[in-house]
């Protein structure tokens, strides 16, 4: 992470210097700092809301119930997480939100799952195998109902806004399979 | 089909919001107190993410403002020709992992110039639906729990995005090209 971050930053500055765009670059730096806090400010409300709902789900055993339904799959994907651990339920809730295309609601649920996974982490500043697998499934995106995209197509005057559901399903399945395969290979070389 | 999807989208959250507290109430959970207790963590969690997201967003914006992204796109053009990937769509594979709003704006510009029902329009829609803003997700999720060593999270997320991109181009060429 140290090398990637530094490398990208230095590369950007050098290219900016060659292109003579230093003014834009320097403006973008401060603007980015402002923007990122603005994004997070908007996240506080949904975050509080979903964490509240999740707490009820957790205390009442609802998340465990949800986790039971897909237990064999979850055990295969996350062998190092005990099957009855709250992390399993939290991850299932996050996957459900993704599949339903709830968009902004999946982030708080994902963070909650990450917090549960952190309780199993022997090195608190380093990602565990389970965290990486969880993140990989997340970033490969398993949206079955691309609601935002359909909305955008309707707004643009599309005559067939939902025609992309089938192709999206195909592409998202391929990307998730690819990501999981690479994750499986990477797992072999990692120690927890 | 369109009605079904819109109905599910509209009903999903209200149903969850009724279902979970009712289930909790039946199980004897003090639902209001529990909700408030959980919600309190919201602010703290978001504040923890700030430094991670600032670090990530600043670098991404430098890459954009300096023209590094454009340079990258220019550099791979010959490869695209070879693999039959439309060059109009290619910026998406670089924009998508970096910026959600940026890639949405790009898709909108494709809709404006080529129309949402053109091959390019459908391709762009498919790609967005099957990929993620990897850098944002990694910064936010790991930032929330204080993970600094993200190990192979970013490379593997990018592999997934590229796979989604290629699969999207392939399937759209196959399904929509004859129209």
């Amino acid at each position: 992470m140290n090398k990637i971050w530094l490398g990208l930053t230095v590369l950007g500055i050098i290219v900016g210097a060659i292109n003579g765009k230093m003014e834009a670059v320097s403006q973008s730096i401060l603007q980015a700092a402002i923007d990122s806090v603005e994004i997070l400010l908007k996240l506080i409300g949904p975050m509080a809301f979903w964490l509240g709902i999740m707490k009820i789900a957790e205390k009442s055993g609802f998340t465990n119930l949800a986790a039971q339904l897909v237990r064999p799959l979850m055990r295969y994907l996350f062998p190092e997480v005990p099957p009855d651990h709250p992390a399993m339920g939290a991850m299932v809730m996050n996957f459900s939100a993704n599949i339903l295309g709830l968009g902004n609601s999946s982030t708080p649920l994902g963070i909650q799952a990450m917090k549960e996974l952190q309780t199993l982490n022997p090195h608190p500043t380093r990602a565990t195998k389970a965290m990486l697998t969880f993140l990989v499934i997340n970033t490969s995106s398993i949206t079955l109902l691309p609601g935002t995209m359909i909305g955008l197509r309707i707004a643009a005057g599309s005559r067939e806004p939902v025609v992309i559901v089938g192709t999206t399903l195909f592409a998202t399945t391929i990307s998730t399979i690819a990501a999981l395969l690479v994750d499986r290979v990477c797992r072999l070389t990692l120690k927890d | 089909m369109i009605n079904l999807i819109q109905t599910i989208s509209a009903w999903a959250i209200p149903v969850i919001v009724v279902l979970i507290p009712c289930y909790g109430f039946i199980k004897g959970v003090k639902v209001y107190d529990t909700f408030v207790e959980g919600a309190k963590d919201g602010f703290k969690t978001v504040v923890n993410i700030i430094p991670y997201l600032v670090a990530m967003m600043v670098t991404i914006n430098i890459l954009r403002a300096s023209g590094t992204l454009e340079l990258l796109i220019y550099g791979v053009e010959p490869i695209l020709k070879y693999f039959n990937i439309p060059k109009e769509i290619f910026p998406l594979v670089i924009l998508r992992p970096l910026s959600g709003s940026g890639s949405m704006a790009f898709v909108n510009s494709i809709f404006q110039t080529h129309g949402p029902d053109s091959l390019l329009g459908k391709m762009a829609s498919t790609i967005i639906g099957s990929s993620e803003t990897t850098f944002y997700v990694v910064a936010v999720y790991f930032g929330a729990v204080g993970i600094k060593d993200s190990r192979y999270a970013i490379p593997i997320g990018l592999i997934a995005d590229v796979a989604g991109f290629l699969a999207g181009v392939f399937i759209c060429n196959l399904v929509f090209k004859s129209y």
Side-chain angles (χ1 to χ4, degrees), chain B residues 31-112:
Chain B
V31 285
Y32 181 76
D33 300 299
T34 309
F35 178 90
V36 173
E37 188 195 326
K40 264 184 197 156
D41 285 337
F43 186 76
K44 227 178 71 192
T45 306
V46 173
V47 170
N48 282 341
I49 302 171
I50 292 176
Y52 295 86
L53 196 64
V54 169
M56 203 66 102
M57 293 270 291
V58 166
T59 299
I60 289 168
N61 268 30
I62 290 174
L63 292 174
R64 262 163 63 180
S66 63
T68 311
L69 289 185
E70 286 160 47
L71 199 72
L72 214 62
I73 290 163
Y74 182 77
V76 287
E77 231 186 277
I79 308 173
L80 299 184
K81 268 202 188 121
Y82 185 80
F83 284 105
N84 226 344
I85 299 167
K87 74 168 195 285
E88 295 92 333
I89 204 94
F90 181 74
L92 208 50
V93 73
I94 292 175
L95 266 179
R96 180 59 177 156
L98 294 175
S99 155
S101 53
S103 46
M104 280 301 176
F106 181 79
V107 172
N108 246 328
S109 76
I110 288 209
F111 285 176
Q112 300 299 325

Side-chain angles (χ1 to χ4, degrees), chain A residues 115 125 127 153 158-159 183, chain B residues 45 66 117 125 148 151-152:
Chain A
K115 282 181 158 179
T125 59
R153 291 175 61 78
S158 168
R159 279 173 288 105
D183 175 62
Chain B
T45 306
S66 63
D117 297 321
S125 310
K148 294 194 181 84
R151 298 170 111 177
Y152 60 76

Side-chain angles (χ1 to χ4, degrees), chain A residues 5 9 12 19 36 40 48 52 55 115 118 125-127 132 136 139 153 158-160 167 175 183 186 190-191, chain B residues 23-24 35 37 39 45-46 54-55 59 65-66 116-117 122 125-126 130 132 138 145 148-152 156 160:
Chain A
W5 188 65
T9 310
N19 281 346
S36 49
L40 291 177
K55 197 78 172 180
K115 282 181 158 179
Q118 179 73 337
T125 59
R126 201 177 73 183
L132 291 168
V136 158
T139 58
R153 291 175 61 78
S158 168
R159 279 173 288 105
E160 33 186 8
T167 50
S175 74
D183 175 62
C186 291
L190 274 190
K191 283 178 195 148
Chain B
Y23 183 82
F35 178 90
E37 188 195 326
T45 306
V46 173
V54 169
T59 299
S66 63
D117 297 321
K122 288 170 184 165
S125 310
T126 300
S130 57
E132 252 297 348
V138 171
V145 292
K148 294 194 181 84
D149 181 1
S150 66
R151 298 170 111 177
Y152 60 76
I156 211 170

Side-chain angles (χ1 to χ4, degrees), chain A residues 107-164:
Chain A
T107 305
L109 296 172
I111 290 171
Q112 177 66 16
M114 208 43 109
K115 282 181 158 179
E116 295 291 356
L117 287 174
Q118 179 73 337
T119 62
L120 297 167
N121 191 352
H123 311 282
T125 59
R126 201 177 73 183
T128 62
K129 286 181 181 180
M131 285 175 170
L132 291 168
T133 304
F134 174 63
L135 209 78
V136 158
I137 296 175
N138 231 287
T139 58
S140 75
S141 162
I142 41 174
T143 311
L144 296 191
L145 297 174
T148 316
M149 207 57 241
I150 292 170
L152 204 66
R153 291 175 61 78
I154 293 173
S158 168
R159 279 173 288 105
E160 33 186 8
V162 288
V163 76
I164 52 126

